[in-house]
Amino acid sequence: MAPRRIVLAVMATVGAVGVSLLAPATASTAPVAFERDGDHGVHGSVDVTLDPGTSARVISGQVPRRQKSVVLDLAVNGDDALFKDLVFSLAPLSPSKRFLFCFYASQLNEVAYDESWVSHMDFDETQTTAALVNFVACQRISYLIADVLAQQATRTDRSAPRRSCPTNPTGVPARTTRTPDGFAMSVDGDLRKSTKSPLKVTCQVVRGKVRLTLQPKSKKKSLRSVLGKNISFGITSPSTAKGSVTLKVTFRSPR
């Protein structure tokens, strides 16, 4: 099953949190209010609605240079079973020009994740920045992951309360080169678990909300150095989802 082609609408988000909807044929953007809190990090939230088989890119405001960690709170407005089907993704900047790192989290990982979904990836991607080409490449893979998890999960898996949302730090061989217009990436290899990502992600389910904490693996690095000036956070709904789902995504500093 090959990841489907997606079209990306890029939006400027200096001093704003925003969202771009990604889909096979359409894209739209919707800026929202944003609040800075000195050197304590990025604060802001946005409501996102996803139809079956679509993906969204939620973009933070600029991350302060010394920021060490950020928390993302995700709350569903509607069907909790549809919420469990969603796959969340992040694409840290790779320390290697020959490997793509991706982070995926889902409430179904605990019950439906299986090594058997790992398959060979073979596609090309071009974007204006290194952070963006990494993100879009990871999002293309997220369609595959979301569909396979949804197929493996049972009705009981979706109805049972979840207390965790295990993360899958994955990677795939990929060669990235500069172009006159930005960056080009050629992905060619088997998707596999990787422990060498520069990003550390923890995911919990707290009173029905999903909470992700992002921080660099190395204490000597800042969050900005591993995710870029703006954090791009991906959300993907499987093509087999039974309907649309709306959730609120909130960026904040740890308390």
Side-chain angles (χ1 to χ4, degrees):
M1 186 190 313
R4 70 198 69 184
R5 182 71 180 176
I6 56 178
V7 178
L8 175 65
V10 182
M11 64 180 297
T13 54
V14 178
V17 174
V19 58
S20 298
L21 299 183
L22 300 142
T26 61
S28 61
T29 61
V32 298
F34 168 77
E35 179 183 353
R36 280 289 297 275
D37 184 20
D39 291 329
H40 298 292
V42 291
H43 285 201
S45 63
V46 63
D47 291 329
V48 182
T49 299
L50 292 99
D51 295 326
T54 63
S55 178
R57 175 192 180 214
V58 183
I59 315 154
S60 78
Q62 284 199 11
V63 179
R65 294 183 183 278
R66 296 182 180 180
Q67 185 83 17
K68 284 292 187 179
S69 61
V70 163
V71 174
L72 277 79
D73 286 327
L74 315 172
V76 68
N77 180 14
D79 193 329
D80 187 58
L82 293 175
F83 188 35
K84 289 187 174 72
D85 270 340
L86 299 178
V87 169
F88 311 114
S89 57
L90 290 148
L93 296 171
S94 175
S96 169
K97 294 182 179 180
R98 297 181 179 273
F99 204 77
L100 170 69
F101 291 103
C102 304
F103 256 99
Y104 299 103
S106 170
Q107 294 181 75
L108 295 181
N109 275 348
E110 187 176 18
V111 293
Y113 177 78
D114 192 302
E115 289 285 354
S116 64
W117 59 258
V118 177
S119 62
H120 189 84
M121 300 286 112
D122 184 3
F123 62 88
D124 297 322
E125 187 60 58
T126 58
Q127 294 294 336
T128 55
T129 68
L132 195 54
V133 78
N134 282 15
F135 175 81
V136 175
C138 288
Q139 280 301 91
R140 293 181 66 169
I141 297 170
S142 75
Y143 279 108
L144 169 66
I145 294 175
D147 278 354
V148 174
L149 285 178
Q151 290 168 10
Q152 292 177 342
T154 66
R155 182 177 299 180
T156 301
D157 293 336
R158 291 182 174 85
S159 61
R162 302 256 70 86
R163 294 185 178 181
S164 64
C165 42
T167 59
N168 293 334
T170 64
V172 63
R175 184 176 180 85
T176 304
T177 56
R178 280 187 175 273
T179 69
D181 298 320
F183 291 81
M185 177 181 289
S186 179
V187 176
D188 186 4
D190 292 334
L191 189 68
R192 58 181 183 267
K193 287 186 177 181
S194 175
T195 59
K196 296 182 179 181
S197 171
L199 179 68
K200 180 181 179 181
V201 181
T202 58
C203 187
Q204 299 173 300
V205 181
V206 182
R207 294 186 292 275
K209 296 181 181 180
V210 169
R211 177 168 298 163
L212 294 102
T213 302
L214 321 179
Q215 60 189 41
K217 187 175 292 184
S218 171
K219 293 182 179 180
K220 297 180 180 180
K221 292 184 177 294
S222 67
L223 190 64
R224 183 168 174 164
S225 69
V226 298
L227 282 174
K229 293 181 180 180
N230 303 87
I231 298 172
S232 288
F233 178 65
I235 311 168
T236 302
S237 175
S239 60
T240 55
K242 301 301 182 182
S244 301
V245 60
T246 298
L247 63 156
K248 181 181 287 294
V249 180
T250 301
F251 290 86
R252 65 174 176 83
S253 297
R255 294 189 177 94

